[in-house]
Amino acid sequence: MDPFEQLPACLGAAGWLAPGETRGPPLPALEDEEGPRLPEGLPPVVDAHVHLFPDRVFEAIWRWFEQYGWPIRYKLHTPQVLSFLLSRGVHRVVALHYAHKPGMARFLNTYMAEVVRAEPRVLGLATVLPGEAGAEDILAEAFAAGLKGVKLHCHVQCFAPDAPALHEVYAACARAGKPLVLHAGREPASPHYSCDVHALCSAERVERVLEDHPDLRLCIPHLGADEFDAYARLLERHDNLWLDTTMALAGYFPLTPPRRLLEVRPERILYGTDFPHLPYAWDRELRRLLELGLDDEVEAGILGQNALRLFEGC
């Protein structure tokens, strides 16, 4: 059976909800100005959160966004995604994907491995559906094919970060020395997912994972939105936690992370964008980050060095 048949609506992502807000029509596009390339003089920039999928999966995600999320400004397939970013000065990209049903992960991982072989500036991650038969073998094959870690998505795949089915995945990553990027923050949330993500996700559940798997290097996207203060405390307490900035600094959603979250352990913060699934300019997140006026060493780490240390040696 073709694993891409009957792709469900839950493949997408929705926007942050303000307290008491309910999801209505899709959020607006910003139509903001974009730069032609990265500013001169920056240290190497690594976008640590770029999505790459086979064409049909990309197109299913776009349909979901158009109905429930926001207008996607950059409807680009994988070769165009990479050409767009790399030609504008991005040094490396960390490429992510996720499987929503059993039998899909191997196809996606094979696809990602082919992308990585064709473009060495891509640090590709694997995926698996937690609890599916042969999950450890699927990951072992992906790591042998050159993939640098694993991406899981609690909202799309409908699991809690501390669910029993995750333990074999965490253990496999720890044994192989591979980091895991886990969308386990409560936002972006949507009633159009197949599960209640606020019931599944919390910083408290993530802390249990960090405690139970101290050898697992875990990265939480979106700066842990919307529990920013809780994730700042987790960074202080746990040496196996990283966060990425994806869509949290761009000023598109009604929640603003505190500056302290970037400064409590800046060596654990990665710059990421969610490209190509953006309703605004590709460099908006980066421009907002540069406007913070962080220390040069801190800024260089967030822009790229932290991601290279986490992923490149895997």
Side-chain angles (χ1 to χ4, degrees):
M1 177 182 293
D2 185 341
F4 304 139
E5 287 181 355
Q6 298 178 335
L7 294 167
C10 67
L11 274 173
W16 273 263
L17 297 179
E21 182 185 359
T22 58
R23 172 65 57 228
L27 295 171
L30 291 189
E31 305 296 343
D32 53 336
E33 185 176 355
E34 63 179 47
R37 58 180 294 110
L38 296 179
E40 295 292 332
L42 289 182
V45 172
V46 177
D47 189 336
H49 198 117
V50 174
H51 287 292
L52 297 181
F53 290 97
D55 291 358
R56 291 174 61 189
V57 182
F58 256 143
E59 289 157 11
I61 294 171
W62 298 341
R63 290 192 295 271
W64 190 94
F65 270 98
E66 288 171 353
Q67 186 170 2
Y68 302 119
W70 51 73
I72 293 178
R73 183 157 168 172
Y74 303 98
K75 289 185 178 179
L76 304 175
H77 293 119
T78 293
Q80 291 75 39
V81 168
L82 297 177
S83 176
F84 187 101
L85 292 175
L86 296 173
S87 69
R88 284 161 175 77
V90 174
H91 176 64
R92 306 288 291 277
V93 302
V94 179
L96 314 177
H97 58 183
Y98 39 79
H100 72 278
K101 66 179 183 178
M104 191 174 183
R106 274 194 170 96
F107 285 83
L108 292 174
N109 294 340
T110 298
Y111 177 82
M112 186 68 79
E114 292 170 352
V115 171
V116 169
R117 282 194 291 271
E119 176 48 81
R121 288 174 289 182
V122 175
L123 301 168
L125 271 58
T127 193
V128 70
L129 185 69
E132 72 174 302
E136 291 183 83
D137 290 339
I138 291 170
L139 292 181
E141 293 166 9
F143 298 154
L147 299 187
K148 300 294 189 178
V150 174
K151 167 64 186 293
L152 301 177
H153 199 312
C154 293
H155 298 197
V156 173
Q157 296 175 310
C158 284
F159 60 81
D162 58 348
L166 273 293
H167 292 306
E168 67 172 339
V169 177
Y170 296 149
C173 289
R175 283 195 304 271
K178 304 295 185 183
L180 190 146
V181 177
L182 177 66
H183 187 149
R186 300 189 302 187
E187 299 293 343
S190 171
H192 302 289
Y193 285 122
S194 300
C195 48
D196 181 350
V197 299
H198 277 240
L200 291 176
C201 298
S202 71
E204 181 181 2
R205 289 178 181 267
V206 168
E207 183 161 34
R208 285 199 283 271
V209 175
L210 295 168
E211 291 172 345
D212 291 346
H213 300 273
D215 295 329
L216 173 68
R217 289 177 292 164
L218 184 66
C219 181
I220 305 296
H222 307 293
L223 295 176
D226 59 347
E227 297 178 285
F228 298 126
D229 291 337
Y231 275 96
R233 293 191 293 271
L234 291 186
L235 281 174
E236 291 176 317
R237 292 197 293 263
H238 297 281
D239 291 333
N240 52 338
L241 176 64
W242 284 255
L243 306 177
D244 81 36
T245 69
T246 300
M247 296 194 81
L249 300 181
Y252 182 71
F253 299 114
L255 298 178
T256 303
R259 184 185 178 105
R260 174 177 175 272
L261 184 55
L262 302 181
E263 296 179 330
V264 60
R265 294 190 75 176
E267 76 280 4
R268 297 306 181 91
I269 305 298
L270 317 180
Y271 163 70
T273 64
D274 242 345
F275 194 86
H277 295 152
L278 300 177
Y280 48 70
W282 70 278
D283 55 347
R284 181 182 180 89
E285 184 109 9
L286 180 131
R287 287 186 277 109
R288 293 297 184 97
L289 178 58
L290 296 178
E291 288 169 3
L292 294 174
L294 299 171
D295 174 85
D296 288 349
E297 184 176 350
V298 167
E299 185 177 273
I302 293 174
L303 288 179
Q305 291 173 9
N306 299 341
L308 294 178
R309 281 192 288 265
L310 180 60
F311 293 108
E312 192 170 37
C314 302

